[in-house]
């Protein structure tokens, strides 16, 4: 079964008791981030047991040389990957000369981790007996500051319990780090400078090849009763690391603390030659505030985030904890302040999925940031792709497409493709559709049309060109077909006429043609500029119309459903519920060929289309497709249950919707897919948010209007959420008795509730 | 265009002139082998330019750890690969203290390589001016002895042309070698002992993990006029290498020679503790013979091989050279003396395709060895697979198959799978069919049925079990379908209902059922034993019948042809001839997705089925399928043109057949696929032989009888070949006027010539 060691609590994630087997999982679950840097919950002191060390800096990556078994033309030769950054959290501790290491302590009790999501900090306490029989109590608190986002703070408190003891703290920073998933054991960092100044230390490093300059820094002091020791007793400088020693003879029962501030200044934000200066300046700021006041600022910053983005659930503490964990992690990963950053599937919690940005951002994350932050943040996410348009064109050209066709990469850090499995890299091209859809979704939600003439239209033209070139005319079918693709369901590879892909391609072509018309009429200057820049001709748009009008969409008369792809009905159509439970998840038990020829669906595929284009189909059609595909869906992608939750809710199947909700919201907390130690599933967390807001709340935009059809699972007494909508903040409260809508900010608003118009007054 | 530096000659491969760009290609083309060891045509003396060093020992491999971009369940964790063996050919040479290195010589003339195929030796001559202005003439001759197959011999002759000079030869052996294609830069060899005895030296090494013991050895002496120097002037012993120094003050215009014998003794043939003893013993033998007499033995051994396997062609020297090069290489690779060895796609000429045995052996090589060696050799090739049956069952079990189903590996050295691309490893399962077909083919040709009750039946049962489990019932089609396969045409991956695979699966099931019946009647004891061992029940054979009877075979009514796979007609069916020539071969110019969705066929696929099962179809049907598929076939696999050559000949399209013949026979000599530097295409060379014997000669076995329908390309005056057939040697001579058949050995034979019965008297 799934893991269940995380304790239920409305605002905190709590682990009780020490278990070596859980170390890596907890290192993921208790990760901290502040949008620009992140840190797995590695111990500050050394630990000789199995651990997965990870410190990450947003936007700092390395172009690793591709390594594959068999090279295919078109693979990127290099691709950017998240790299493990220099360690700033390390504090070696010794007790009467014996190094503190939980793997060697003879006795450990009261071990507890708490991630306080409300206030944005992480604390670990324990009482341990060292090999030299000294019992100590430790309380280590840390956070990554939101108000000073280049810095994190640690308070490491030790109390010897059974004797006086000499406690030595050796805080350090260390650039001698490696990546777990390096392809060639390349060295990613080059240390260029290392130095110290009183109780501050600095390492300046340069990433190899990409030449990102980073200054890793720290400052430390010791507090014992009323004494504050700001000057280290010793300095230890190595080739790649530098550290101080603070020694304190400590009385039995008395507490000694080390306070450490550390972090990174990077050349994205500062002059590359003045990173140490910038580090000194941030250290001046935070040290003059002190640990406690910095923590107060942290609490305030998180309170502001929660004020807008919290979802409360009454009567179901696990559900409440789940949604808050999801919202907390999304805010730790991306704060919306920088259009050069984006949302990686693992955020700052692991290395997997090496690159940063997937179609997840457009398909799942955009609605969350649009509603809980604001229009500007959502626009930054769109702009990110506009900035990468040239690279998307290069990418398409590399695969043989011409005339400015754009294929956005499957995974990227800087616009270049970062993936190299042919069935994904070259074939999972539906991602292009999600990027167009996000433009539509943004415009629909915000009514801010200006993005399209300014930037979006060029993106749409590139994408439309790609689709038109990617199909071919089938004489046999008298239709345009799209061969050799992988749909959202990655348990099918190289299929023909994936309905979702064909449908979104057709939609992209039609939508682009509509936008061209609209921009021509409403923004003639932009129209002229874009046409000149793209050299778009009538011959091309004529072809787009033709392809859209004659796109083949596989359909089964017998079942009355669109087919996921050609040949789907040839499969052995046994529902997933009949599979041997020991063989689930199938991706951990079945060979790949068996998965491929099975009917099992990793994540919503045809149903993803019904989610995006709900208004194109009747509820009856949705029901038919849901009933056909749900039984084969194994939800082995984190992005799957949320879509099914929304659709089950729409169909009034609240028990099923609730089950999907729990699965999506507690995916990592309960480790459904048995892989949380590799990091958290950040992007799917936005899907959890959608499960409540769009699923239970039934929020939609239809005909330019905000609509709701609120429902509530029977397990819940009440839930509430807020959304930022066209200069208003709307609060929605749903109980078993009904729904209440309030405007917290802004003017009155006409909305639709269960298809009836209602005006919410300010 | 293709390369054309190899000079035409009926019996020799000749390169004239020195060109650094051709070094690696020539190292492949002039490779030597004797069935148990092989050597690329690397220079004996050091060469500082680009080179691809390769010495190989049959059956000595290393289980390299699998390296893939993204792991798939079912991949082998380790797989065996050919490893580069210690170097025995090295002879450092210096001229008045200046090392001889063709990359640094100031002037090189008369550079010539000759591979004398008739006599089995390789010679290189040149006149070079060293940086210290000494002009020398060099003649280096070497061969790998067939009569003493653990040893090779080198005669390295130098004549200073413009001055007296001190010539120093430093013959050495070196175990400090690496593989070009190592996955993890592992060290493959561990040196356990190194030593010398007068003018002999030895290095004992152990392969890591597989623990093959190999003793690399050499003996050297110097000849100058009448002086023979058998005691080296110096000894140089390093950690992984050992060498001698022979120094000779040499008069202008006089020749000094170094004779070196070297090679390997291995624990497959000797007690692991007595490898040095064995090496001494073989050195005793060859040194007592001396270089010249050893070379005489070599000539005799090759004469015996040619006596049986030569094909003569008159009137077309390029065609003559091509076929002899193919026959020569096949005999260099496998001599049929050891059922533990097999035929790797690159033989002993390169590292690519890491493992040794592909389905090539069964589909292409068996007929050649069966006809030019004898029944025993062919039986050894079958037995090789019988010996691997348990591993094939393990392999299938790993992929989820049960009850003794067998899936033979795509590539193997020891029965284990050595490939890890899911679309090949898990899906190119038609290979199983070729293994069953080889049993049929062997029985058909030899009339030796005993192999089936003794061994073959178990293999057939394992294969039949696999096919029955691999299909599934399609309610939709009311047929058994086979989803997710890759056919022989690897430019299609993960297709459904590949006609060739479905057809051979159906055939395997039917053939196995027939053999079960026959063995039950004719070999009741064997039947009982096999049934007990395999636990085969009537329920299973009943299912086999059902699957065979209801196998789906995709067919187009419109075109009147079987379809390569479902959906083939959806493709953009533009003939390959209309492609831009600059984009050929497409596998070097197109991205993989583009290749996959194109109609282009890498190698005969549907037509491979028409080749295997020719008698199941009418000539009209063959013609229809040939006309449909040939235009899409790009022949980018070495295994393709031979099948098309045979079919074109059968259809009387001799001009086309001749073009295919040239392509297959001179594939490497003319480097059609621009990759000869990686090694030669050994297995397809057997296809060349088939092009003549089965294509032009029209040889078939029908109803137990040997049949011919001889044709001859108009470019040729005459061709002739011999075949070993059921204790007879039959000679076939075809001229523009007609064909002549003679029995060279054995009794009279009734054959069919152009469908008429003819008796050939002894």
């Amino acid at each position: 079964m799934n893991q269940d060691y995380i304790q239920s609590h409305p605002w905190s994630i709590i682990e009780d008791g020490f278990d070596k087997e859980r170390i890596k999982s907890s290192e993921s679950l208790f990760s901290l981030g502040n949008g620009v840097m992140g840190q797995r919950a590695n111990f500050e002191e050394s630990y000789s047991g199995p651990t997965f060390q990870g410190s990450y800096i947003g936007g700092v990556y390395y172009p690793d040389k591709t390594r594959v078994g068999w090279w295919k033309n078109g693979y990127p030769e290099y691709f950017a990957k998240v790299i493990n950054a220099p360690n700033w959290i390390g504090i070696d501790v010794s007790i009467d000369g014996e190094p503190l290491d939980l793997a060697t302590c003879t006795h450990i009790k009261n071990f507890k981790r708490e991630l306080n999501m409300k206030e944005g900090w992480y604390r670990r306490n324990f009482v341990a007996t060292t090999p030299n029989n000294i019992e100590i109590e430790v309380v280590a608190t840390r956070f990554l500051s939101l108000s000073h986002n280049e810095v994190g703070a640690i308070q490491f408190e030790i109390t010897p319990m059974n004797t006086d003891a000499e406690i030595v703290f050796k805080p350090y920073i260390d650039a001698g780090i490696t990546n777990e998933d390096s392809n060639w054991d390349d060295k990613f960092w080059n240390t260029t400078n290392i130095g110290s100044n009183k109780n501050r230390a600095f390492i300046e490093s340069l990433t190899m090849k990409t030449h990102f300059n980073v200054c890793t820094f720290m400052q430390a002091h010791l507090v014992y009763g009323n004494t504050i020791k700001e000057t280290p007793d010793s300095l230890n400088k190595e080739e790649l690391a530098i550290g101080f020693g603070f020694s304190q003879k400590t009385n039995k029962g008395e507490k000694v603390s080390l306070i450490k501030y550390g972090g990174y200044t990077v050349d994205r934000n500062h002059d590359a030659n003045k990173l140490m200066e910038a580090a000194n300046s941030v250290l001046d700021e935070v040290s003059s505030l002190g640990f406690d006041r910095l923590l107060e600022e942290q609490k305030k910053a998180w309170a502001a985030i929660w004020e807008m983005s919290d979802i409360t659930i009454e009567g179901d503490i696990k559900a409440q904890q789940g949604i808050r964990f999801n919202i907390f992690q999304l805010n730790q990963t991306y704060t919306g302040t920088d259009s050069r950053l984006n949302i990686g599937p693992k955020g700052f919690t692991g290395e997997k999925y090496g690159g940063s940005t997937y179609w997840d951002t457009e398909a799942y994350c955009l609605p969350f940031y649009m509603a809980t932050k604001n229009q500007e943040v959502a626009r930054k996410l769109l702009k990110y792709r506009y900035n990468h348009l040239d690279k998307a064109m290069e990418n398409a050209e590399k695969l043989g497409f011409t005339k400015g066709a754009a294929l956005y990469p499957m995974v990227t850090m800087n616009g270049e493709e970062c993936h190299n499995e042919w069935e994904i890299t070259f074939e999972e091209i539906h991602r292009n559709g999600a990027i167009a859809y996000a433009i539509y979704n943004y415009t629909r939600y915000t009514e801010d049309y200006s993005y399209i003439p300014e930037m979006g239209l060029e993106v749409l033209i590139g994408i439309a060109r790609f689709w038109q070139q990617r199909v071919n005319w089938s004489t046999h079918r008298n239709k345009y077909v799209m061969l050799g693709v992988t749909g959202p369901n990655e348990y099918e590879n190289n299929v023909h006429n994936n309905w979702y892909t064909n449908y979104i391609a057709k939609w992209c072509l039609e939508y682009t043609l509509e936008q061209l018309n609209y921009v021509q009429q409403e923004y003639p200057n932009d129209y002229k500029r874009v046409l000149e820049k793209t050299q778009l001709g009538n011959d091309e748009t004529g072809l787009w119309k033709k392809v859209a009008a004659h796109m083949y969409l596989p359909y089964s008369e017998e079942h009355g459903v669109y087919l996921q792809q050609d040949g789907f009905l040839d499969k052995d159509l046994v529902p997933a519920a009949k599979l041997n439970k020991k063989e689930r998840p199938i991706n951990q038990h079945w060979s790949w060929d068996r998965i491929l020829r099975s009917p099992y669906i990793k994540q919503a595929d045809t149903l993803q289309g019904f989610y995006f284009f709900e208004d194109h189909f009747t509820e009856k059609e949705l029901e038919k497709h849901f009933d056909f595909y749900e039984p084969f869906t194994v939800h082995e992608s984190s992005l799957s249950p949320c879509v099914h939750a929304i659709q089950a809710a729409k169909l009034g199947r609240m028990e099923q919707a609730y089950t999907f909700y729990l699965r999506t919201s507690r995916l990592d907390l309960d480790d459904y897919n048995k892989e949380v130690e590799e990091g958290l599933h950040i992007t799917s967390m936005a899907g959890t948010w959608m499960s409540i807001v769009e699923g239970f709340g039934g929020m939609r935009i239809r005909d330019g209007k905000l609509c709701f059809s609120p429902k509530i699972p029977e397990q819940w007494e009440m839930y509430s959420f807020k959304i930022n909508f066209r200069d208003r903040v709307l609060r929605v409260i749903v109980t078993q008795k009904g729904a209440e809508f309030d405007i917290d900010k802004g003017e009155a608003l006409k909305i639709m509730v269960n298809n009836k118009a209602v005006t919410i007054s300010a």
Side-chain angles (χ1 to χ4, degrees), chain A:
Chain A
M1 280 310 299
N2 306 323
Q3 76 182 10
D4 57 355
Y5 72 84
I6 296 299
Q7 302 198 353
S8 296
H9 187 285
W11 274 111
S12 282
I13 306 302
I14 297 166
E15 174 185 8
D16 219 333
F18 182 74
D19 182 345
K20 286 183 191 180
E21 300 299 313
R22 298 191 311 228
I23 294 288
K24 287 194 197 178
S25 294
S26 291
E27 284 174 339
S28 296
L29 289 169
F30 292 86
S31 285
L32 291 176
N34 64 0
V36 302
M37 60 193 276
Q39 177 60 50
R40 284 174 59 84
N42 308 127
F43 298 163
E44 288 86 358
E45 77 277 11
S46 70
Y47 179 66
S48 56
T51 163
F52 172 19
Q53 299 285 313
S55 309
Y56 310 102
I57 306 173
V60 173
Y61 54 86
Y62 174 85
D64 210 12
K65 201 174 167 209
T66 302
R67 182 149 221 166
V68 293
W70 297 79
W71 186 264
K72 308 280 192 198
N73 284 335
Y75 278 161
E77 283 197 50
Y78 294 90
F79 55 83
K81 72 173 28 163
V82 169
I83 49 177
N84 199 358
N87 177 341
W88 68 266
I89 65 162
I91 305 172
D92 284 340
V93 175
S94 66
I95 319 292
D96 272 359
E98 181 75 35
L100 172 61
D101 174 354
L102 282 175
T104 63
C105 284
T106 56
H107 193 67
I108 298 169
K109 62 182 184 184
N110 302 347
F111 182 93
K112 185 181 167 189
R113 296 189 199 238
E114 178 181 359
L115 177 66
N116 187 305
M117 302 186 287
K118 188 173 184 180
E119 300 179 347
W121 51 260
Y122 160 62
R123 180 171 297 147
R124 179 170 56 108
N125 346 316
F126 59 86
V127 173
T129 308
T130 58
N132 54 355
N133 283 317
I134 304 179
E135 191 182 69
I136 53 164
E137 181 176 24
V138 170
V139 182
T141 307
R142 77 176 181 233
F143 58 93
L144 298 189
S145 175
L146 280 173
S147 59
H148 298 76
N149 66 13
E150 289 166 321
V151 78
I154 302 171
Q155 182 183 54
F156 201 103
E157 302 171 312
I158 304 184
T159 312
M161 305 295 281
N162 58 347
T163 174
D164 296 354
E166 180 168 40
I167 313 284
V168 179
F169 292 100
K170 291 190 170 168
Y172 63 88
I173 48 180
D174 178 9
I177 35 78
T178 57
N179 249 47
E180 279 211 341
D181 72 344
S182 161
N183 276 345
W184 302 84
D185 302 325
D186 274 14
K187 201 181 140 196
F188 290 164
W189 293 94
N190 212 356
T191 297
T192 51
N193 191 10
I194 186 160
S196 64
N197 171 14
K198 205 185 150 203
N199 64 343
R200 292 180 181 178
F202 310 89
I203 302 180
E204 291 190 314
S205 320
L206 193 64
T207 56
M208 310 292 281
K209 295 185 192 167
T210 34
H211 304 299
F212 292 115
N213 287 280
V214 171
C215 174
T216 307
F217 60 81
M218 71 160 173
Q219 169 179 330
H221 66 271
L222 182 138
V223 183
Y224 183 58
N226 294 325
T227 10
I228 294 177
K229 198 187 278 186
E230 293 207 315
T231 308
D233 301 313
S234 64
L235 170 72
N236 181 31
K237 193 169 153 185
E238 295 167 20
E239 202 190 340
L240 299 170
I242 183 166
F244 300 127
F246 287 94
S247 169
Q248 181 64 50
K249 286 195 198 306
T250 309
N251 296 333
K252 173 178 166 182
E254 284 184 22
K255 180 175 76 182
V256 58
S257 308
L258 187 91
I259 307 292
K260 179 180 183 185
Y261 307 113
Y264 315 101
T265 46
V266 299
D267 62 0
R268 191 175 66 246
N269 301 318
H270 303 282
D271 184 332
N273 298 314
K274 295 185 177 166
L275 294 180
M276 209 181 277
E277 213 172 302
N280 266 311
S281 146
V282 67
L283 284 173
D284 287 347
E285 285 176 37
V286 298
S287 61
S288 76
L289 277 170
F291 186 86
D292 293 339
R293 273 200 288 164
L294 196 61
L295 182 55
E296 280 311 307
E297 283 190 0
Q298 179 78 345
K299 292 175 185 176
K300 272 185 207 152
W302 273 102
I305 290 171
W306 287 115
E307 171 63 23
M308 188 58 222
S309 62
D310 191 24
I311 293 183
T312 64
I313 298 173
E314 284 178 15
D316 188 342
I317 195 166
K318 272 180 170 289
Q320 174 68 80
Q321 186 183 33
I323 189 64
R324 285 204 175 116
F325 184 65
N326 285 251
I327 296 168
F328 179 71
Q329 292 298 349
L330 284 162
N331 278 287
Q332 288 210 114
T333 305
Y334 184 72
T335 58
T337 49
D338 191 336
S339 68
R340 295 165 299 180
L341 301 180
N342 207 288
I343 306 129
K346 297 240 168 275
F348 295 117
T349 72
E351 297 173 8
K352 215 181 164 187
Y353 306 113
S356 174
T357 309
Y358 283 63
W359 69 293
D360 305 22
T361 292
E362 282 73 18
Y364 298 92
C365 301
L366 182 72
F368 170 81
Y369 288 103
M370 204 149 59
T372 68
K373 304 280 178 202
N374 55 48
Q375 178 172 324
E376 281 315 303
V377 170
R379 209 178 206 270
K380 282 198 181 82
L381 289 174
L382 299 190
K383 188 164 180 243
Y384 178 89
R385 296 293 191 175
Y386 177 71
N387 291 341
H388 289 175
L389 178 58
D390 286 347
K391 290 254 166 72
M393 290 178 182
E394 278 169 33
N395 187 32
E397 203 179 331
K398 213 167 138 189
L399 304 187
F401 297 88
T402 57
K403 288 197 292 188
L407 174 61
Y408 279 92
M410 189 65 203
V411 188
T412 196
M413 192 70 90
N414 61 348
E416 284 168 24
E417 181 60 81
C418 293
H419 196 96
N420 52 335
E421 266 181 311
W422 63 265
E423 62 273 23
I424 308 290
T425 312
F426 304 149
E427 296 204 339
E428 201 173 332
I429 51 178
H430 67 80
R431 60 191 186 243
N432 242 12
I435 286 159
Y437 185 84
I439 295 173
Y440 162 69
N441 203 9
Y442 170 81
T443 315
R444 174 173 71 166
Y445 189 88
T446 63
E447 281 192 326
D448 167 27
Y449 197 82
S450 69
Y451 177 73
I452 294 184
E454 283 172 33
M455 297 182 252
L457 190 59
E458 289 174 53
V459 172
L460 292 172
I461 290 170
I463 289 173
R465 282 174 157 161
F466 173 81
W467 290 125
Q468 178 258 305
Q469 293 175 37
R470 188 54 165 76
V471 298
N472 68 273
W473 179 254
S474 164
T475 318
H476 174 63
R477 292 196 195 269
N478 224 17
K479 287 275 182 187
Y480 284 99
V481 294
M482 185 140 34
L483 307 181
V485 307
T486 294
N489 168 21
E490 292 174 336
Y491 288 175
E492 301 281 355
N493 290 160
N494 193 39
V495 302
H496 302 320
N497 295 309
N498 170 257
W499 177 82
Y500 172 79
T501 308
N502 285 19
Y503 196 85
I504 208 167
K506 173 182 158 75
W507 173 85
C508 283
L509 292 167
E510 290 164 346
Y511 181 68
T512 305
L513 287 164
E514 275 169 36
Q515 301 324 302
L516 271 169
N517 274 338
Y518 190 79
V519 173
Q520 183 173 21
Q521 281 158 35
E522 303 293 323
Y523 302 85
N525 291 336
D526 285 308
Y527 182 78
K528 213 179 132 198
R529 177 182 51 78
V530 171
L531 245 66
E532 244 163 55
K533 187 168 171 190
T534 59
Q535 293 288 310
L536 184 70
N538 286 334
D539 49 337
E540 271 188 274
T541 51
L543 253 176
W544 298 355
K545 267 177 218 149
K546 207 174 137 197
V547 171
H550 299 282
M551 181 74 84
Y552 172 66
L553 297 168
Y555 184 79
S556 162
E557 293 291 345
E558 183 192 346
H559 297 275
V561 295
Y562 289 106
L563 289 175
Q564 186 177 279
Q565 74 253 358
D566 283 351
F568 187 80
L569 292 180
D570 271 346
K571 290 170 179 278
D572 192 14
L573 295 169
V574 175
K578 291 203 178 164
L579 293 177
N580 184 342
K581 284 207 167 46
K582 283 186 191 148
E583 297 184 355
R584 302 286 294 273
I586 59 172
N587 69 14
Q588 289 177 18
H589 295 92
W590 286 10
S591 75
W592 188 242
D593 59 312
R594 193 170 171 196
I595 289 174
L596 287 177
R597 63 183 186 271
S598 83
Y600 305 116
I601 300 168
K602 185 182 176 194
Q603 77 180 85
D605 189 296
T606 308
L607 293 180
Q608 179 74 33
F610 273 73
Y611 168 67
F612 273 176
F613 303 109
E614 191 184 78
D615 296 345
H616 300 192
F617 306 100
T618 65
E619 195 167 321
K620 190 115 204 116
E621 284 175 308
L622 171 64
E623 189 168 31
K624 215 159 189 180
H625 284 78
F626 189 84
D627 285 341
F628 186 79
Y629 288 109
E630 211 295 311
F632 303 120
T633 310
V634 290
H635 302 293
E636 292 176 11
S637 159
S638 63
L639 298 170
S640 190
C642 60
V643 172
H644 284 238
I646 293 166
Q647 292 174 335
K650 170 157 173 135
L651 297 172
R653 302 177 185 185
M654 289 304 286
E655 196 54 39
Q656 205 177 9
Y658 177 70
T659 307
F660 286 129
Y661 167 76
L662 273 193
R663 182 167 180 148
T664 178
S665 73
R666 297 190 60 88
L667 176 76
D668 288 322
L669 288 177
D670 296 344
D671 200 11
Y672 275 83
N673 291 349
K674 300 184 177 61
E675 53 175 21
V676 76
E677 62 180 45
E678 294 173 350
L680 306 176
H681 297 84
I682 299 299
T683 47
S684 73
M685 293 178 171
T688 307
W689 179 89
M690 296 197 301
S691 302
I692 291 188
V693 174
E694 300 183 11
F696 302 150
M699 184 180 91
R700 301 285 189 280
I701 310 295
R702 281 199 196 99
D703 305 323
K705 281 201 205 77
L706 188 61
C707 311
F708 292 92
S709 50
K711 295 180 175 115
I712 181 167
E714 60 173 28
Q715 290 84 347
W716 297 0
E717 289 161 19
M718 180 278 269
Y719 68 93
S720 77
F721 59 86
K722 288 187 189 172
I723 60 161
N724 194 330
F725 181 76
R726 302 181 188 170
D727 298 325
R728 296 169 187 87
V729 175
L730 184 76
R731 188 151 39 89
V732 181
I733 300 170
V734 183
T735 66
Q736 293 292 346
K737 291 187 188 130
E740 194 186 310
F741 299 85
D742 296 291
I743 299 275
D744 273 14
K745 210 190 91 187
E747 295 173 9
L749 180 70
K750 234 192 218 164
I751 64 171
M752 303 291 289
V753 178
N754 294 324
N755 297 319
K756 280 175 202 148
V758 177
T759 302
I760 315 294
S761 46

